[in-house]
Every structure is written in structure tokens, then in C-alpha cells.
Amino acid sequence: MNAPLIRGLAPLALWLSLSAHAAPPQAWPAPIQALEAQGYEVLSSFPGPSGLTGYAALYLGRPQAVYLTPDGRQAIVGNVTDARGDKWKPELLDRQFGAALWRQLESSHWIADGKDGAPRVVYTFTDPNCPYCRQLWRDARPWVQAGKVQIRHILVGLLAEDSPAKAAALLAAPDPAAALARHEAGDSVRPLAKPPAAVGAKLAVNQRLMERFGVFATPASFYRDAQGRLQKIQGAPAAAALQQLLGPR
């Protein structure tokens, strides 16, 4: 799709403290494990208000707060509000959860387009056969060539039968950045007939991450706004949205 969809990842009634860490799935209390069985992916735990224990989770790709009662017997899904109806620490929660999701993007298998140390980093899910991914690559040239942005392409294979083999060829290339640049400039990469197992595993990780983020089409781009909140643009953005994604030209 080429019409941009811009949205922040919804305000979150949860807090990930800087010291919070994910525990092994078997360590979660029984009510939390029951939610996992229903499709929740629990990322970490944190101290909540009034003796509650909070859990940062994803459900259908969307951030979700879960709270465990002090007796450990009940799990409550949703926001915590005070006597005025205000959500508990919403701005801090947005930033902290966005940081946790950003770390997941950082740990994916991507190809960099642009110089290291660029002041702005964008992650985008890219299919080698996606025409709108190619359009985004071309539209971003002024920012990338000026050293203002590094776009990190998370390769997936969705659109065509040979998409996985082409994505594998790019990841396995001796110089993946150069191979991606040639491909997006019009010199289409040849599918890799027998991708190494390690490359196939990288593509599988990227595919799972895409599903975790609730993304079902490419390109889907993620960036952090001036307040540090994680934002998403779906598709190849028009001029105004492109500047939101890449920053001032």
C-alpha cells in the first residue's frame, strides 16, 4: 500500500523500569501463564501501584498492560487509573515501552542504508519484491546521502514465491549494503537457490518480529519522535509524512 498510516503505538498503562528484566516463561505466575496460552507475549515485569505487579505484554502486535493482584491469584488486563480517572504514569509508560520495542528492532537482522552514527535511525520491514519499499528507498536518498539518516532494512520474504530467496541473497551477500543498494536501484538481486541454514534462521527471526509488531505489509517503518515515543508509518509516505519519518531535509 502507498497511503501512509501514521500512528503512535497506543498510549500504554504500564511502566518498564530501567532495571526491569524479562524472566523465563516458566517463572511467570499461573494467571500470567494462562494469558500466554491465550496469545499474550509477556516481555517483562515491573512494580505497579498499590502492591500490584505489572507485566508488559504484546497481544496481536499491540502493547498491553497486565497487572497481577498481590495474592498472585488474579490477572487484570488494562489500564490502572486514579480517583480522577487519570491513567497511571502515561507519558513515562509510553517512552519506556517504546524503548523495549526499539531494542527488539535493534536485535533483528537488518541491512544498513546510510552511515553509522547518523543522528536519526529508522527501521523498516522490506520485501525485495515490494515496489513501495523501492519507492521509499529512492525517496530517502537526499537524507541518506547527506548523512542525516540511517535506514535499517529488516529483510522479510512475503510478496512473491521468490521473495524469501531474494531476501536470503541480500543477507548472505559479501557486502549486504552494496547488494541492497544495487537491488533497489534496479539491478535486481538473483534468488539464492539454497540459502545457508544460518541465513534462513535470520529470516525466520525477522518474520516473527514482523508478526509480533502487528505488521502484515511492507514497507512498515518505525522511528522515535522528539519525545522518544515509538511511531509507525505504513507504506511509502507522501512528502509531509516522509519528513516526519526522516526528519528535516
Side-chain angles (χ1 to χ4, degrees), residues 1-2 124-138 153-164 166-167 170 180 183-186 188-189 210 215-221 234-237:
M1 61 185 297
N2 61 353
T124 186
F125 288 95
T126 297
D127 185 299
N129 286 313
C130 171
Y132 301 118
C133 298
R134 180 164 293 176
Q135 180 181 333
L136 174 59
W137 183 88
R138 291 173 176 169
H153 292 265
I154 304 172
L155 271 294
V156 294
L158 300 173
L159 292 182
E161 185 176 352
D162 65 353
S163 286
K166 285 184 176 180
L170 292 170
L180 178 66
H183 173 75
E184 298 293 19
S188 184
V189 67
M210 186 176 181
V215 173
F216 303 101
T218 57
S221 303
Q234 182 72 56

Side-chain angles (χ1 to χ4, degrees), residues 94-118:
D94 282 356
R95 290 195 301 270
Q96 296 294 343
F97 199 96
L101 295 178
W102 190 260
R103 288 193 293 271
Q104 293 193 13
L105 293 169
E106 288 179 322
S107 65
S108 64
H109 302 286
W110 41 266
I111 298 175
D113 174 28
K115 73 174 186 179
D116 292 338

Side-chain angles (χ1 to χ4, degrees), residues 6-167:
I6 306 174
R7 66 180 183 219
L9 297 182
L12 310 165
L14 55 96
W15 174 50
L16 293 175
S17 72
L18 292 176
S19 61
H21 60 280
Q26 65 270 20
W28 302 135
I32 304 303
Q33 292 188 41
L35 289 175
E36 286 186 311
Q38 296 175 29
Y40 285 77
E41 180 182 358
V42 180
L43 302 177
S44 64
S45 63
F46 57 92
S50 303
L52 296 171
T53 300
Y55 294 84
L58 295 177
Y59 184 66
L60 299 178
R62 301 294 295 171
Q64 181 65 65
V66 178
Y67 294 93
L68 188 71
T69 55
D71 62 8
R73 299 180 63 183
Q74 305 292 331
I76 304 166
V77 177
N79 297 323
V80 171
T81 58
D82 61 21
R84 297 176 299 181
D86 295 331
K87 294 178 182 178
W88 183 60
K89 299 185 177 180
E91 295 179 0
L92 177 62
L93 310 183
D94 282 356
R95 290 195 301 270
Q96 296 294 343
F97 199 96
L101 295 178
W102 190 260
R103 288 193 293 271
Q104 293 193 13
L105 293 169
E106 288 179 322
S107 65
S108 64
H109 302 286
W110 41 266
I111 298 175
D113 174 28
K115 73 174 186 179
D116 292 338
R120 192 176 186 93
V121 172
V122 171
Y123 288 92
T124 186
F125 288 95
T126 297
D127 185 299
N129 286 313
C130 171
Y132 301 118
C133 298
R134 180 164 293 176
Q135 180 181 333
L136 174 59
W137 183 88
R138 291 173 176 169
D139 290 344
R141 291 308 88 203
W143 284 266
V144 171
Q145 292 170 357
K148 294 182 176 181
V149 176
Q150 183 182 77
I151 302 177
R152 297 176 176 178
H153 292 265
I154 304 172
L155 271 294
V156 294
L158 300 173
L159 292 182
E161 185 176 352
D162 65 353
S163 286
K166 285 184 176 180

